[in-house]
Amino acid sequence: MATVVLRENGKMREKSLTMDTLNPQVKAVEYAVRGPIVTKAGDIERGLQQGQKHPFTEVIKANIGDSHAMGQKPITFLRQVVALCSFPELLDSSIFPDDAKQRARRILQGCGGQSLGSYSASQGVDCIRQDIAVYIEQRDKGVPADWDNIYLTTGASDGIVSILKMLVSGQGRSRSGVMIPIPQYPLYSAAISEMEAVQINYYLDEDNCWALDINELHRAYQAAKEHCHPRVICIINPGNPTGQVQSKKCIEEVLHFAYEENLFVMSDEVYQDNVYSPDCQFHSFKKVLYEMGPEYFNTVELASFHSTSKGYSGECGFRGGYMEVLNLDLEVKAQLVKLLSVRLCPPVSGQAAMDVIVNPPLPHEPSYLQFHKEKSAVLGALAEKAQMTEQILNTVPGIKCNPVQGAMYAFPRIFIPPRAVEEAMSLGISPDMMYCLRLLEETGICLVPGSGFGQREGTYHFRMTILPTTEKLKVLLEKLRDFHIKFLKEYASLEEPKR
Amino acid sequence: MATVVLRENGKMREKSLTMDTLNPQVKAVEYAVRGPIVTKAGDIERGLQQGQKHPFTEVIKANIGDSHAMGQKPITFLRQVVALCSFPELLDSSIFPDDAKQRARRILQGCGGQSLGSYSASQGVDCIRQDIAVYIEQRDKGVPADWDNIYLTTGASDGIVSILKMLVSGQGRSRSGVMIPIPQYPLYSAAISEMEAVQINYYLDEDNCWALDINELHRAYQAAKEHCHPRVICIINPGNPTGQVQSKKCIEEVLHFAYEENLFVMSDEVYQDNVYSPDCQFHSFKKVLYEMGPEYFNTVELASFHSTSKGYSGECGFRGGYMEVLNLDLEVKAQLVKLLSVRLCPPVSGQAAMDVIVNPPLPHEPSYLQFHKEKSAVLGALAEKAQMTEQILNTVPGIKCNPVQGAMYAFPRIFIPPRAVEEAMSLGISPDMMYCLRLLEETGICLVPGSGFGQREGTYHFRMTILPTTEKLKVLLEKLRDFHIKFLKEYASLEEPKR
């Protein structure tokens, strides 16, 4: 359709919204997890359904942490509670266990008109916020949690964007700077672009299992101070896309640094239940802050994010999540509530799902055994797949993969021969994008290029989830190995001309 | 908690986030529907529960279009489908009708891994988008609808904010201007503040049942052109907070105006099923555009918004909604999808709820009769309450209420005596805010002052919903009448000194 049409009166009618008049901040946003590779994968999938021929029979999507789409079964208890809340007539039915009914009744009591169809308060349903506070206290071995600091959100993304939005201000050299890890989850860079904040990269240490290096934090901070006002540090622990689990010592260092430099701390802890390596343990930023003493615990502004989408439940579609925000200035808190109230409330069924995750069946309750079995099965399989992924990838020449200590991803480094790099450059795409496109076209495997997450210049990676079933993941890794070897061979020597 | 603390080393630690460093655009946001009156109502409600004495025994909330919270029952069929989708084991149960099961199976087929827990595509589940397109074609008597133009959203608000975000650009005199009705639903002004766009007010004609006057549009546009670049016109039809239903002629005039001035049209049609006055009919902007001929239909950029929250279902908590966007530039469309992909997807249970609304039981299906009965009962009661509200309010001296032709609100004009106006000014609050606060304290009735929506200077209003049950609404209106008469008397004459 043409952008300009001729009116009857002979005058031009232009489109109101064109690439020239589009909000430049929207244009600047990049989001690789659903970028061109994924669009292409969708096209190929539809082609396969319509009988098109490809060198494979199915597309294996390992591009996004979408557990159920990869075959993971929902946790029965969670779905029972949500179904009971959705259709309370079922509360009279004998097919549901009493503990699920008790949870559903309690949630409905907290809803206006006892209906999931009412708006909740902007911060979420009171009793769910209370359950979350109790859960956090238990998780953190008694560190106090006040439900007044808990805000339900639409997935974790919504909370992260809301807090960032509060923190962005100033112009020029006093513009807010946001420190983010590289590699990062691209929600951060997308939100920073959209808000025209300044992105401050601190690089994770690939040679040291993607650990956060405090000296690198200092370097990034000092360099950024020259051109912006660093105000917030974001940490993703366990790491996305890098799969590392942060040590307690490292968290202490980050918190001390934030304390010294008056930084707001945003800790993205959505993978807190996804720790596989026996040597690693999840430490919440809040608990570590508490243990550093009241001087820290009563002052450092900390927002921590959690979600229904990850962990063992993998309930992405419900868009459930919460954030706990510590030490927020009281007037600012009122401003946060106001900001959240404009979007009215997070989806109430997502809030109900969140409640089940923080308030699961107890040992004496009828659903305990099944719940426990399902949860262990999911986490056990993930641990197994995390190990298998690292092992198989490290057998491939030209691929080097750090241990997948936690989260749901491997982020291996791939060697791309100089001739392939040159070819990609001449096509105007990044070398790992070319690699992933070729991989998709030749094998049906859908990964995300490392360039979508950020990486040190001259290094190349991809992110893959460990979510396919064990069998399918094995097939994926073997196909990937064969592809990589073939790719290396193809671009290896100048004598073999490329077709 | 102090904003500044002393570190051990004697240096000050300031808070990172204070009112001084808060994003000024966030500070500028106002959102009356959940403002101070509602906070106070909540406090009073908690007080009542704890045995505090008030001149009333319950708070009646008529501040927000939250049907279920006011006692409206969910539509059984909708909840059956959502429960079946949430817990598919129920598909084997005989307690659910076949048509509900068929809907649930179809939705689940469209979900990754056949689970409501998977992310959907950013635009929403394909088959739901297809159902929406079919629904729109039927509603608009055959005007073609392409499901590629349909985007599921998190309530209508999310869609409105996303489209506005695309349209905001430029600086100074070329900054984007957004034309909105006054009175308006404060989501618009809040989003405009947050994005630092320019709000262009066009005033609805209170003396003419809140009709949109095309001359007023021209006036507002011409005046705004002096200091910004008007790019978009927003219309709310049926009106919120004003309850009018726009005539076809008026819609034609608006569309012709938008065509001539290259404006993007945003039509908020979330109350399309809420038309009560026998003289009124809902005309979609799209259908009217189509009937104006291809020169209009193929060029004017139009986004129309719908929601699960209103209509006869009143499912606010599910945060379901969709938008249809016509004539979007193809590259811009890709940008919109990218922007939406950052928030991953709208809640899938909300999408399922939306599907039921556009794909309800057909006459030959088992749930038809009950569905039809429930739908008619809700809409019939709303029509009755719309009429009753107008009638009773117009018996009160000093209150003048236009017919509630549609939507869920009355927005009567109230006479506030000059002495009351003076008193409010001396308290630094708007006179209608003082009025509503007094009303709340003395009667327990929670309304929103007109100043939260915008009104002509020197006029005062409040918005009240017609959602309480008929009996409760009658009590509300009678209490309101008594309060108003007493209020007038109290501030009437200078001879009668105020207590």
Side-chain angles (χ1 to χ4, degrees):
Chain A
M1 206 171 295
T3 293
V4 178
V5 297
L6 218 58
R7 288 207 198 83
E8 272 171 5
N9 61 11
K11 283 199 297 184
M12 296 299 226
R13 187 183 197 277
E14 295 159 29
K15 275 201 191 289
S16 165
L17 187 53
T18 63
M19 288 302 282
D20 290 337
T21 59
L22 179 71
N23 185 340
Q25 290 159 247
V26 169
K27 222 182 290 182
V29 165
E30 286 181 19
Y31 190 70
V33 176
R34 297 203 156 189
I37 295 261
V38 185
T39 309
K40 189 168 188 112
D43 293 345
I44 294 178
E45 227 169 11
R46 271 184 294 276
L48 281 170
Q49 280 162 11
Q50 290 157 15
Q52 278 176 22
K53 287 273 172 280
H54 285 279
F56 47 85
T57 54
E58 69 165 333
V59 171
I60 306 180
K61 286 190 181 155
N63 60 296
I64 187 168
D66 192 1
S67 307
H68 293 201
M70 300 313 297
Q72 184 181 311
K73 292 281 156 276
I75 297 289
T76 303
F77 185 72
L78 187 151
R79 293 303 192 90
Q80 286 174 330
V81 174
V82 173
L84 285 161
C85 289
S86 302
F87 193 58
E89 280 84 335
L90 293 170
L91 286 165
D92 299 327
S93 154
S94 58
I95 50 176
F96 288 91
D98 282 344
D99 44 0
K101 291 182 181 174
Q102 178 266 328
R103 298 296 191 286
R105 280 202 190 92
R106 182 154 182 280
I107 293 167
L108 290 174
Q109 286 286 347
C111 294
Q114 303 204 22
S115 169
L116 224 49
S118 298
Y119 291 120
S120 74
S122 310
Q123 303 98 307
V125 175
D126 281 0
C127 69
I128 298 178
R129 295 166 71 203
Q130 289 158 1
D131 287 346
I132 292 170
V134 170
Y135 161 81
I136 293 174
E137 282 195 0
Q138 285 171 351
R139 181 197 69 189
D140 290 343
K141 315 272 181 280
V143 178
D146 182 347
W147 68 274
D148 192 41
N149 292 333
I150 309 288
Y151 304 78
L152 274 297
T153 55
T154 308
S157 306
D158 167 53
I160 292 167
V161 170
S162 299
I163 294 293
L164 278 177
K165 200 175 272 175
M166 307 277 289
L167 282 156
V168 173
S169 66
Q171 291 303 325
R173 282 191 56 175
S174 64
R175 190 74 182 156
S176 295
V178 181
M179 304 188 72
I180 62 170
I182 297 293
Q184 52 114 20
Y185 175 57
L187 166 69
Y188 290 92
S189 51
I192 290 167
S193 283
E194 202 186 310
M195 297 174 197
E196 286 187 295
V198 180
Q199 176 175 325
I200 306 171
N201 296 338
Y202 66 87
Y203 289 85
L204 300 176
D205 186 356
E206 181 163 16
D207 294 334
N208 191 15
C209 283
W210 295 113
L212 193 160
D213 172 11
I214 188 72
N215 295 318
E216 167 61 10
L217 272 194
H218 283 289
R219 181 208 60 77
Y221 177 83
Q222 293 302 335
K225 260 176 54 176
E226 302 295 315
H227 61 275
C228 71
H229 177 193
R231 290 188 56 196
V232 50
I233 176 165
C234 302
I235 302 102
I236 311 173
N237 179 48
N240 176 4
T242 36
Q244 84 285 18
V245 177
Q246 242 174 316
S247 72
K248 190 173 166 192
K249 176 166 167 289
C250 174
I251 296 173
E252 276 171 6
E253 287 172 347
V254 172
L255 287 168
H256 183 75
F257 168 75
Y259 173 83
E260 287 295 326
E261 306 296 0
N262 290 338
L263 296 175
F264 196 106
V265 180
M266 292 174 64
S267 62
D268 179 339
E269 302 180 325
V270 300
Y271 297 100
Q272 58 188 267
D273 288 326
N274 298 102
V275 176
Y276 314 119
S277 174
D279 311 328
C280 295
Q281 197 190 329
F282 171 72
H283 302 278
S284 79
F285 267 66
K286 183 185 176 193
K287 179 159 184 276
V288 176
L289 188 68
Y290 183 79
E291 290 167 355
M292 288 168 75
E295 190 189 341
Y296 292 84
F297 189 64
N298 296 331
T299 59
V300 174
E301 295 147 279
L302 170 66
S304 159
F305 305 91
H306 198 10
S307 160
T308 59
S309 304
K310 311 301 171 189
Y312 54 88
S313 63
E315 295 283 9
C316 311
F318 280 96
R319 313 305 300 120
Y322 74 78
M323 56 184 179
E324 182 185 26
V325 190
L326 298 186
N327 293 318
L328 207 58
D329 174 275
L330 283 183
E331 280 179 278
V332 171
K333 198 166 183 169
Q335 294 285 320
L336 175 61
V337 173
K338 179 190 73 177
L339 182 67
L340 297 177
S341 75
V342 178
R343 58 101 165 99
L344 296 161
C345 71
V348 183
S349 45
Q351 298 187 44
M354 193 75 242
D355 191 59
V356 175
I357 290 171
V358 298
N359 189 14
L362 298 171
H364 66 273
E365 290 184 311
S367 301
Y368 179 75
L369 277 182
Q370 186 183 1
F371 173 83
H372 192 73
K373 205 175 129 195
E374 291 175 354
K375 175 179 170 178
S376 306
V378 170
L379 292 177
L382 285 171
E384 186 192 3
K385 293 188 280 185
Q387 208 176 16
M388 181 173 84
T389 302
E390 177 204 346
Q391 278 173 352
I392 299 186
L393 287 175
N394 280 328
T395 64
V396 187
I399 296 188
K400 194 175 170 317
C401 184
N402 271 319
V404 182
Q405 299 170 334
M408 297 179 169
Y409 314 100
F411 196 72
R413 182 163 173 186
I414 47 177
F415 171 70
I416 298 188
R419 281 182 53 217
V421 171
E422 273 168 39
E423 185 178 320
M425 298 303 190
S426 72
L427 295 168
I429 57 176
S430 69
D432 45 16
M433 172 67 91
M434 183 177 91
Y435 180 93
C436 288
L437 278 171
R438 289 271 313 261
L439 177 72
L440 174 63
E441 285 161 0
E442 294 179 22
T443 67
I445 297 170
C446 178
L447 308 179
V448 188
S451 45
F453 305 88
Q455 53 200 353
R456 283 201 185 270
E457 218 184 304
T459 70
Y460 304 107
H461 303 76
F462 58 74
R463 187 186 81 166
M464 63 170 281
T465 72
I466 57 167
L467 294 176
T469 58
T470 311
E471 301 71 45
K472 205 170 265 189
L473 184 62
K474 215 169 165 195
V475 172
L476 184 158
L477 290 164
E478 283 160 4
K479 282 185 166 195
L480 179 59
R481 181 188 58 205
D482 297 346
F483 168 83
H484 190 81
I485 292 169
K486 184 164 153 276
F487 186 86
L488 287 192
K489 211 175 268 171
E490 181 179 334
Y491 288 99
S493 95
L494 289 165
E495 287 77 31
E496 278 172 32
K498 215 191 101 225
R499 218 157 333 280
Chain B
M1 207 169 298
T3 293
V4 179
V5 296
L6 218 57
R7 288 207 197 83
E8 272 172 5
N9 60 11
K11 282 201 296 185
M12 297 298 225
R13 186 186 198 276
E14 295 160 29
K15 274 200 190 291
S16 165
L17 187 53
T18 64
M19 287 304 279
D20 290 337
T21 60
L22 178 70
N23 184 341
Q25 290 160 249
V26 170
K27 220 182 290 181
V29 165
E30 286 182 17
Y31 191 71
V33 176
R34 297 204 157 189
I37 296 262
V38 185
T39 308
K40 191 170 186 112
D43 293 345
I44 293 178
E45 226 168 12
R46 271 185 294 276
L48 281 170
Q49 280 161 11
Q50 291 158 14
Q52 277 175 21
K53 286 273 170 279
H54 286 278
F56 47 85
T57 54
E58 70 166 332
V59 171
I60 306 180
K61 285 189 182 157
N63 60 297
I64 187 168
D66 191 0
S67 307
H68 292 201
M70 300 313 296
Q72 184 181 312
K73 291 281 158 276
I75 298 289
T76 303
F77 185 72
L78 187 151
R79 293 304 191 88
Q80 286 174 329
V81 174
V82 172
L84 285 161
C85 289
S86 302
F87 193 57
E89 280 85 334
L90 293 170
L91 286 165
D92 300 326
S93 154
S94 58
I95 49 176
F96 288 91
D98 282 344
D99 44 0
K101 290 182 182 174
Q102 178 266 329
R103 299 294 191 287
R105 280 202 189 91
R106 183 154 180 279
I107 293 167
L108 289 174
Q109 286 287 348
C111 294
Q114 303 204 24
S115 169
L116 223 50
S118 298
Y119 292 121
S120 74
S122 310
Q123 302 100 306
V125 175
D126 281 0
C127 69
I128 299 178
R129 295 166 71 203
Q130 289 158 0
D131 288 347
I132 292 170
V134 170
Y135 160 82
I136 293 174
E137 282 195 0
Q138 286 172 349
R139 181 196 69 188
D140 290 343
K141 315 270 183 280
V143 178
D146 182 348
W147 69 273
D148 193 41
N149 292 332
I150 309 289
Y151 303 79
L152 275 296
T153 55
T154 308
S157 306
D158 167 51
I160 292 167
V161 170
S162 299
I163 294 293
L164 279 177
K165 200 175 274 175
M166 307 277 289
L167 282 156
V168 174
S169 66
Q171 291 303 325
R173 282 190 56 176
S174 64
R175 189 76 183 152
S176 296
V178 181
M179 303 187 72
I180 62 170
I182 296 294
Q184 53 113 19
Y185 175 58
L187 167 68
Y188 291 92
S189 52
I192 291 168
S193 284
E194 204 187 306
M195 297 174 198
E196 286 187 297
V198 180
Q199 176 175 325
I200 306 171
N201 296 337
Y202 66 87
Y203 288 86
L204 300 175
D205 186 357
E206 181 163 16
D207 295 334
N208 192 15
C209 282
W210 296 115
L212 193 159
D213 172 11
I214 188 72
N215 296 318
E216 167 62 9
L217 272 195
H218 283 289
R219 180 207 61 76
Y221 177 82
Q222 292 302 336
K225 259 175 56 178
E226 302 294 315
H227 63 273
C228 72
H229 177 194
R231 290 190 55 196
V232 49
I233 176 164
C234 303
I235 303 103
I236 312 173
N237 178 48
N240 176 6
T242 37
Q244 84 284 17
V245 178
Q246 243 175 315
S247 72
K248 191 174 165 191
K249 176 167 166 291
C250 174
I251 295 173
E252 277 170 7
E253 288 172 345
V254 172
L255 287 168
H256 182 74
F257 168 75
Y259 173 83
E260 288 294 327
E261 306 295 2
N262 290 339
L263 296 175
F264 195 108
V265 180
M266 293 174 63
S267 62
D268 180 339
E269 302 180 326
V270 300
Y271 297 101
Q272 58 187 267
D273 288 326
N274 299 101
V275 176
Y276 314 119
S277 173
D279 311 329
C280 295
Q281 198 189 329
F282 170 73
H283 302 278
S284 79
F285 268 65
K286 184 186 176 193
K287 179 159 183 276
V288 176
L289 189 68
Y290 182 79
E291 290 166 355
M292 289 167 76
E295 189 188 342
Y296 291 84
F297 189 63
N298 296 331
T299 59
V300 173
E301 295 148 276
L302 170 66
S304 158
F305 304 90
H306 197 13
S307 159
T308 59
S309 304
K310 312 300 172 190
Y312 54 88
S313 63
E315 294 284 9
C316 311
F318 280 96
R319 312 307 299 119
Y322 74 79
M323 57 185 177
E324 182 186 24
V325 190
L326 298 185
N327 293 316
L328 206 58
D329 175 273
L330 284 183
E331 281 179 277
V332 170
K333 199 165 181 170
Q335 294 285 321
L336 175 60
V337 173
K338 179 190 72 177
L339 182 67
L340 296 177
S341 74
V342 178
R343 59 102 165 98
L344 295 161
C345 71
V348 183
S349 45
Q351 298 187 45
M354 194 75 242
D355 190 60
V356 176
I357 291 170
V358 298
N359 189 14
L362 297 171
H364 67 272
E365 290 183 312
S367 300
Y368 180 76
L369 276 181
Q370 187 183 2
F371 174 83
H372 192 73
K373 203 174 130 195
E374 291 176 354
K375 175 180 171 178
S376 306
V378 170
L379 292 177
L382 285 171
E384 186 191 5
K385 291 188 282 186
Q387 207 177 18
M388 182 173 85
T389 302
E390 177 204 345
Q391 278 173 352
I392 299 185
L393 286 175
N394 280 328
T395 64
V396 187
I399 295 189
K400 193 174 169 316
C401 184
N402 271 319
V404 182
Q405 299 170 334
M408 297 179 168
Y409 314 100
F411 196 71
R413 182 162 172 185
I414 48 175
F415 172 71
I416 299 189
R419 281 181 53 217
V421 172
E422 274 167 41
E423 184 178 319
M425 298 304 190
S426 73
L427 295 168
I429 57 177
S430 70
D432 45 16
M433 172 67 92
M434 183 177 90
Y435 180 94
C436 288
L437 278 171
R438 287 273 311 262
L439 178 72
L440 174 63
E441 285 161 0
E442 294 179 23
T443 68
I445 297 170
C446 177
L447 308 179
V448 188
S451 44
F453 304 89
Q455 53 199 354
R456 283 201 185 269
E457 218 185 302
T459 70
Y460 305 106
H461 302 77
F462 57 74
R463 186 186 83 164
M464 63 170 280
T465 72
I466 57 168
L467 293 176
T469 58
T470 311
E471 301 70 48
K472 204 171 266 188
L473 184 61
K474 214 168 164 194
V475 173
L476 183 159
L477 290 164
E478 283 161 4
K479 282 185 166 195
L480 179 58
R481 181 188 58 205
D482 297 346
F483 168 83
H484 190 80
I485 292 169
K486 184 165 152 275
F487 186 86
L488 286 192
K489 211 174 267 169
E490 181 179 335
Y491 288 100
S493 93
L494 288 165
E495 288 79 30
E496 276 174 33
K498 222 188 99 227
R499 252 160 323 134

